Amino acid sequence: MIKFSNATQKYSNNLNKKGIAHQFAFGQITVYINLSPDNRVNEILADMVKKLAGETSEEGGMEIAFLINNNVSRKAISIHTFQLVMKFFEQIFLSSNRSRQCNKFCKKHNLNRYGIFPGIRLRASEEVIMSSNAEEIVNHEGVAFSFAYEKIHNVKHQPERSSQHSLETIKATPLISWYFENIHKLKGKELLWFMTNIVDYQIAKTEIRKLTKRNSRVAYYYKLAIDMYPKPLSYKKVVGDERFPCEYIYQAINSRLIPTMRIGKLVYEVTQEEISRRLEETQERFIDETELKIMLMRVDTGSGKTATIGDLFASNMAYVGPTHKLIKQFMADVQKWNPYIDIVYIPQILDEDIPECEYKEQMKYHEKRGEWKKASQFRRKAILEHGSPRQQRLLREYDEAMNKKDGSPFITHSRLINKGRGFFNKKRFENVDTIIIDEDILPSLFPSSLHSDSTVIKNIKAVLKLVEEDLTDSGFGVTTGRNPSYDKNRMKLRDALLLFIDQIKKAKFEGIIKNEAKNTFELNKAILSSYTKRCENITFDLFNVLEAEILTCKNHSQWPSTIYTQDYSHVLRGKKILLMSATLDKEVHLQLFRKRINWNTEWVDMPRTKIKGRIISHPDLSTTKSALTKNPERINMINEKIKEIGCIDHVITYKDRKNEIKNDDVSHMHFYNTAGYNDYSGRNLAIVGTPNNIPENAATLHYLIYGEVPKSLQYEKEKRELIYDLKSRPVTKDEFRFSFFTFDHVDDERARSIHLWSTYNELLQAVGRARLTHHDCEVHVFSRLPIPQCVFNYELA
């Protein structure tokens, strides 16, 4: 064991955080460990413990006493030398100045730095024994310590080759040649092995650098190979071999507990003036183009995208925004710059604008059933007969706007979708050929609803019963030969309802399926509507379920249910579209818009805008809903940190966690309700949480884009259920590397990208509320997901 005196509680706490078992009492720390006969090794082990405890020379440090005891099996606390070295190596490896720290430590102990770490340690092989420097190698508890003056790399089987070989010569080895051709398919371990093999070849380095410009993952592993391997490994090494020298390195960087860290250069930033110039040039180019196209523009929140297009806004355009508040703000800007544009704004009538009366209850009843026309009739009756003068005036403005046929409509995402293609038809707004969409409209284009299977099937069977009764009453049975056209349609409807029930069951095996009965329901909507009116027990919008584009199984042992996803992408066809948002993703939006709306879709990625304020990321703890539920103490830790910061004005978090972030001096907003909100501009914010989207939604989007189910979703016959193979994986995005709980199958890279985007989407929206490009304020983000342009603060864990 190793005993330290002059110890403090701080040292003990640090060792606990690092997972080093020990005893602390009366100012002494005792670590039970088998020591080596060689005191040089014992000095190294003791120094490692001191480093892990956080001891510095400025503090005077802990005094060390050695008590050699090679039989600690009876002790309650013990630690393996190999585990201690791994913990120390992990700290050195993950620190920002790892190379300097490592060199300093090795120099202090006259130690060959490539001989102590378990990832690249020397082995007790014949080559080591035959080496003239064998006496300088000490093996202890699975770790080989090299005190040789010259660096020894026996484990690498010194290759007999020159770094001046041609690329063709290097690729002559079949395995290396295959790796070059399939570099984007390589797993982490394979990619790291490949990089260490070609790191010293100048001609290979040139080709790899071309790849690193397009693939941050290749760049990361190449940099790791340069840092950790001064010589290339032998081609004879086999990936998966138990002697694979970077095994521990791979495990360390791919740990599910991997800290969020920056692995690349800072993103390229430009000034607000430069962004404004580029925005204007790009938007003008889009407006001047005559062909039917879509332009997807990713541009940071607060960069002035809305203000720039407002100056260019013309009478042949319509504006679509996420909220009425943002629409009104844009209306004021356009009227200031272009006072002659005839703006058609359809005011919002909220539930609170409808007086409490029997008509309002009837309205809500029909809305639940999806009978929108009837709901609208009762809404109108409630206002006309019981409404205040203000409410009646609002209804008149609504009617006037809805009856207009010319002008430039200013409407919300949801209203555009609900009105469908009928909003822009030959009789209305013929002048509009261009639609400007502010913020991401994708959630409105592909909305989804979740219903229990038993409820949906029960409602469908209620409709089926009425259909069967009518077919029997009309004499149209299996044994009759009558075949009137109306009964034909009712039979088609009956068959489609039966098929839909089968599809719900089929989704339990395949995970996601296309609704093959959708067209039948759309063609027989009038007949179906007549039956739903007769079914008093229907409590939800059955049309919305039956006309879904795809069905996704959501397994739950106590509540089996299905997600029904709509496809309203057709409402954007036939128009020029400019979509601008900070949360667009090339892998998601470009593929989806090209496939579903218009193949002529252009992707424009604006550079990052320099921010005046600061984004401080606190990535120590996982803050997903699940993590906070399992670890409620984390809320208290975050609360204390927010109080310590002291200048937080507003908090954005989960809707059902708002009351747990207790601070009387701040106001709260919840996720999924932040897009376009400007009231927090210039204020100091705390963003608490990682609003991770459920994997079923990401899988659904993957199916919409690529027409296939992610490989991580499989039906297990033994368990008789669908299983999502999800794990915490190391993810590299832009200049960051972090842990993310997502699809684990090696072929699900695209599904992981979609899942990651769906999580980043809301987090970036929340950060954008502070408008950091214009204001010198701070946004503190308590999430493992790093935000572009952030700085890290590790103090919570």
Side-chain angles (χ1 to χ4, degrees):
M1 64 180 177
I2 305 177
K3 183 175 289 185
F4 300 87
S5 59
N6 294 338
T8 65
Q9 185 65 53
K10 174 184 174 182
Y11 295 141
S12 178
N13 291 342
N14 287 338
L15 290 177
N16 283 330
K17 289 180 181 179
K18 301 296 191 309
I20 304 301
H22 66 284
Q23 288 182 338
F24 172 61
F26 307 106
Q28 292 185 336
I29 286 178
T30 303
V31 178
Y32 290 96
I33 187 172
N34 283 338
L35 299 183
S36 168
D38 194 316
N39 278 338
R40 292 177 300 179
V41 173
N42 296 332
E43 289 174 2
I44 293 170
L45 298 177
D47 206 6
M48 285 182 176
V49 175
K50 290 174 64 178
K51 293 288 185 183
L52 292 172
E55 181 272 345
T56 62
S57 58
E58 288 78 13
E59 296 174 343
M62 300 182 292
E63 296 182 4
I64 306 169
F66 296 154
L67 294 176
I68 299 177
N69 183 350
N70 289 322
N71 184 11
V72 297
S73 59
R74 297 181 181 179
K75 297 290 183 181
I77 303 174
S78 64
I79 184 170
H80 196 279
T81 302
F82 186 67
Q83 293 174 322
L84 174 63
V85 177
M86 285 198 297
K87 293 290 183 183
F88 178 79
F89 174 70
E90 185 172 1
Q91 175 178 286
I92 293 290
F93 176 76
L94 296 177
S95 63
S96 58
N97 56 348
R98 59 181 182 273
S99 181
R100 183 175 60 83
Q101 288 190 23
C102 186
N103 284 334
K104 186 176 179 181
F105 183 87
C106 293
K107 185 176 181 180
K108 176 181 178 180
H109 294 284
N110 297 318
L111 187 68
N112 170 8
R113 66 166 287 187
Y114 295 99
I116 63 168
F117 300 136
I120 46 178
R121 64 188 183 279
L122 296 173
R123 302 281 183 168
S125 63
E126 291 183 0
E127 291 175 299
V128 174
I129 294 173
M130 293 174 62
S131 169
S132 59
N133 296 308
E135 68 275 10
E136 299 295 341
I137 298 172
V138 179
N139 287 287
H140 177 61
E141 300 249 345
V143 184
F145 297 83
S146 171
F147 299 91
Y149 180 77
E150 298 291 335
K151 293 180 180 179
I152 301 175
H153 304 287
N154 303 81
V155 73
K156 295 185 178 182
H157 305 290
Q158 290 286 356
E160 298 177 0
R161 58 186 180 183
S162 168
S163 62
Q164 301 303 316
H165 287 177
S166 67
L167 189 59
E168 289 71 24
T169 304
I170 297 172
K171 289 185 176 182
T173 304
L175 184 59
I176 297 299
S177 177
W178 185 89
Y179 276 6
F180 260 114
E181 295 170 1
N182 297 274
I183 193 168
H184 297 292
K185 301 179 182 178
L186 300 183
K187 298 178 182 179
K189 185 187 295 186
E190 294 172 324
L191 185 57
L192 180 57
W193 179 86
F194 178 41
M195 293 294 105
T196 61
N197 268 272
I198 54 103
V199 70
D200 259 13
Y201 290 97
Q202 187 62 42
I203 190 69
K205 188 181 299 183
T206 303
E207 182 162 320
I208 290 296
R209 281 176 176 170
K210 293 178 183 177
L211 294 169
T212 60
K213 293 179 180 179
R214 302 190 300 271
N215 190 318
S216 57
R217 182 168 169 265
V218 174
Y220 173 64
Y221 280 107
Y222 186 62
K223 185 176 186 300
L224 183 61
I226 292 175
D227 288 348
M228 302 306 294
Y229 290 87
K231 296 289 184 181
L233 301 179
S234 168
Y235 287 161
K236 296 180 181 179
K237 292 297 290 182
V238 179
V239 174
D241 185 89
E242 62 178 2
R243 295 175 298 168
F244 186 66
C246 62
E247 181 68 32
Y248 178 70
I249 296 176
Y250 177 76
Q251 290 176 356
I253 62 176
N254 288 276
S255 166
R256 62 181 300 272
L257 302 176
I258 177 175
T260 300
M261 58 184 177
R262 191 186 304 274
I263 63 170
K265 296 180 180 179
L266 294 174
V267 295
Y268 175 60
E269 299 176 348
V270 299
T271 62
Q272 177 63 61
E273 292 73 18
E274 174 64 14
I275 285 290
S276 297
R277 183 187 66 79
R278 295 192 185 199
L279 278 171
E280 187 174 359
E281 287 180 355
T282 307
Q283 290 172 350
E284 283 182 342
R285 175 171 63 81
F286 168 79
I287 292 170
D288 291 340
E289 291 180 358
T290 57
E291 61 181 335
L292 201 64
K293 70 173 296 183
I294 298 174
M295 177 180 284
L296 303 175
M297 182 185 294
R298 194 222 61 81
V299 57
D300 289 341
T301 300
S303 296
K305 62 182 184 299
T306 308
T308 308
I309 197 64
D311 196 25
L312 302 170
F313 200 84
S315 58
N316 67 321
M317 300 179 185
Y319 175 80
V320 184
T323 63
H324 283 270
K325 190 169 186 176
L326 183 60
I327 290 173
K328 289 180 179 179
Q329 174 188 322
F330 186 65
M331 281 172 55
D333 292 340
V334 171
Q335 287 172 335
K336 178 177 65 177
W337 295 316
N338 303 285
Y340 300 107
I341 291 181
D342 180 19
I343 293 177
V344 179
Y345 170 64
I346 303 171
Q348 183 182 25
I349 300 180
L350 302 170
D351 280 354
E352 51 261 35
D353 293 322
I354 302 169
E356 296 295 335
C357 59
E358 69 277 9
Y359 295 134
K360 186 172 184 177
E361 295 302 318
Q362 288 290 325
M363 179 199 74
K364 291 181 177 179
Y365 170 75
H366 289 291
E367 282 181 344
K368 287 181 179 179
R369 292 166 57 92
E371 297 168 357
W372 305 110
K373 287 186 178 180
K374 279 197 172 183
S376 179
Q377 291 171 1
F378 283 108
R379 182 188 298 110
R380 183 175 300 277
K381 282 185 178 182
I383 295 176
L384 290 176
E385 296 184 21
H386 302 281
S388 65
R390 187 193 71 84
Q391 292 168 340
Q392 293 181 357
R393 175 179 54 80
L394 188 65
L395 180 61
R396 286 194 301 271
E397 292 175 358
Y398 176 88
D399 289 339
E400 290 173 4
M402 289 298 293
N403 291 327
K404 281 197 173 184
K405 298 183 179 180
D406 299 300
S408 296
F410 280 52
I411 57 178
T412 61
H413 292 174
S414 58
R415 186 179 296 281
L416 174 65
I417 299 305
N418 290 336
K419 293 299 177 182
R421 296 188 68 180
F423 195 84
F424 298 105
N425 57 32
K426 294 181 179 179
K427 295 182 180 179
R428 302 186 69 209
F429 304 112
E430 293 181 286
N431 59 302
V432 174
D433 59 24
T434 302
I435 301 177
I436 308 299
I437 303 178
D438 206 347
E439 302 300 346
D440 187 6
I441 197 175
L442 191 143
S444 297
L445 286 178
F446 303 97
S448 61
S449 57
L450 175 69
H451 300 280
S452 72
D453 294 339
S454 59
T455 302
V456 174
I457 293 174
K458 180 180 178 181
N459 279 271
I460 293 175
K461 286 184 175 180
V463 175
L464 265 172
K465 183 179 179 182
L466 295 176
V467 176
E468 293 284 7
E469 289 175 354
D470 287 351
L471 286 172
T472 302
D473 292 342
S474 66
F476 192 80
V478 177
T479 60
T480 67
R482 296 175 56 186
N483 191 23
S485 60
Y486 186 70
D487 281 346
K488 271 189 176 181
N489 290 335
R490 282 195 290 192
M491 281 201 69
K492 289 180 180 178
L493 178 60
R494 180 195 64 183
D495 294 341
L497 291 171
L498 290 170
L499 173 61
F500 197 85
I501 293 175
D502 289 339
Q503 288 181 148
I504 294 175
K505 298 174 181 178
K506 184 180 178 183
K508 301 304 170 189
F509 296 91
E510 298 187 17
I512 307 172
I513 63 169
K514 185 177 180 180
N515 181 10
E516 300 294 342
K518 178 181 178 181
N519 291 337
T520 304
F521 295 133
E522 290 177 343
L523 292 173
N524 296 281
K525 196 166 188 176
I527 302 175
L528 181 59
S529 178
S530 67
Y531 284 111
T532 57
K533 290 175 183 177
R534 293 163 57 186
C535 293
E536 293 297 325
N537 294 328
I538 295 178
T539 57
F540 62 92
D541 185 356
L542 186 59
F543 284 99
N544 187 61
V545 169
L546 296 177
E547 295 181 354
E549 179 71 15
I550 58 177
L551 283 63
T552 305
C553 169
K554 189 177 190 304
N555 269 340
H556 193 286
S557 57
Q558 297 178 344
W559 192 57
S561 55
T562 300
I563 299 172
Y564 301 92
T565 304
Q566 305 290 325
D567 178 4
Y568 295 122
S569 58
H570 63 277
V571 304
L572 297 181
R573 292 173 194 155
K575 300 289 183 183
K576 264 176 63 176
I577 306 292
L578 173 60
L579 173 57
M580 306 176 295
S581 177
T583 58
L584 300 185
D585 187 277
K586 188 175 183 180
E587 296 300 320
V588 177
H589 292 77
L590 182 59
Q591 303 297 331
L592 193 58
F593 276 68
R594 277 182 174 170
K595 180 177 181 179
R596 295 274 169 176
I597 303 174
N598 189 342
W599 67 270
N600 188 15
T601 299
E602 178 185 357
W603 174 261
V604 177
D605 196 348
M606 288 289 172
R608 296 289 178 184
T609 309
K610 285 186 177 179
I611 58 177
K612 294 183 178 180
R614 287 207 313 157
I615 303 173
I616 298 94
S617 175
H618 302 266
D620 310 67
L621 305 172
S622 173
T623 54
T624 62
K625 269 193 174 184
S626 175
L628 294 180
T629 300
K630 294 177 181 178
N631 306 277
E633 73 280 359
R634 294 185 182 181
I635 288 289
N636 296 329
M637 296 171 67
I638 293 172
N639 268 325
E640 291 301 318
K641 186 61 182 179
I642 290 176
K643 291 178 182 178
E644 180 186 325
I645 294 169
C647 61
I648 299 299
D649 301 308
H650 310 286
V651 173
I652 302 176
T653 186
Y654 306 104
K655 188 174 184 178
D656 54 356
R657 294 276 180 180
K658 287 164 60 175
N659 295 331
E660 298 180 31
I661 311 296
K662 299 175 182 178
N663 194 326
D664 297 334
D665 300 327
V666 305
S667 62
H668 291 72
M669 176 181 266
H670 60 82
F671 292 126
Y672 306 107
N673 191 33
T674 61
Y677 193 79
N678 286 325
D679 288 5
Y680 287 176
S681 297
R683 312 306 296 271
N684 297 318
L685 308 182
I687 316 295
V688 182
T690 305
N692 201 341
N693 208 342
I694 61 174
E696 288 87 351
N697 286 347
T700 300
L701 202 52
H702 183 274
Y703 189 89
L704 283 168
I705 298 174
Y706 302 107
E708 61 184 19
V709 178
K711 299 291 193 304
S712 297
L713 178 58
Q714 297 291 335
Y715 181 79
E716 292 195 1
K717 294 182 179 179
E718 294 181 359
K719 296 183 178 180
R720 295 185 179 180
E721 63 178 346
L722 277 165
I723 300 295
Y724 274 86
D725 186 12
L726 305 173
K727 291 182 181 177
S728 288
R729 293 179 53 94
V731 174
T732 300
K733 181 173 175 60
D734 300 325
E735 73 272 31
F736 300 109
R737 188 169 178 82
F738 52 93
S739 178
F740 187 61
F741 189 73
T742 186
F743 303 97
D744 190 54
H745 196 281
V746 66
D747 294 332
D748 277 345
E749 191 64 38
R750 297 185 302 193
R752 284 190 286 273
S753 296
I754 294 171
H755 194 199
L756 185 60
W757 161 79
S758 66
T759 301
Y760 257 115
N761 180 31
E762 191 57 33
L763 207 57
L764 292 175
Q765 285 287 6
V767 172
R769 296 317 97 211
R771 306 301 193 199
L772 293 167
T773 54
H774 292 84
H775 302 282
D776 185 8
C777 54
E778 289 186 352
V779 177
H780 291 261
V781 183
F782 295 88
S783 169
R784 276 213 172 135
L785 265 64
I787 306 299
Q789 300 169 284
C790 75
V791 294
F792 292 119
N793 185 308
Y794 296 95
E795 293 182 357
L796 289 175

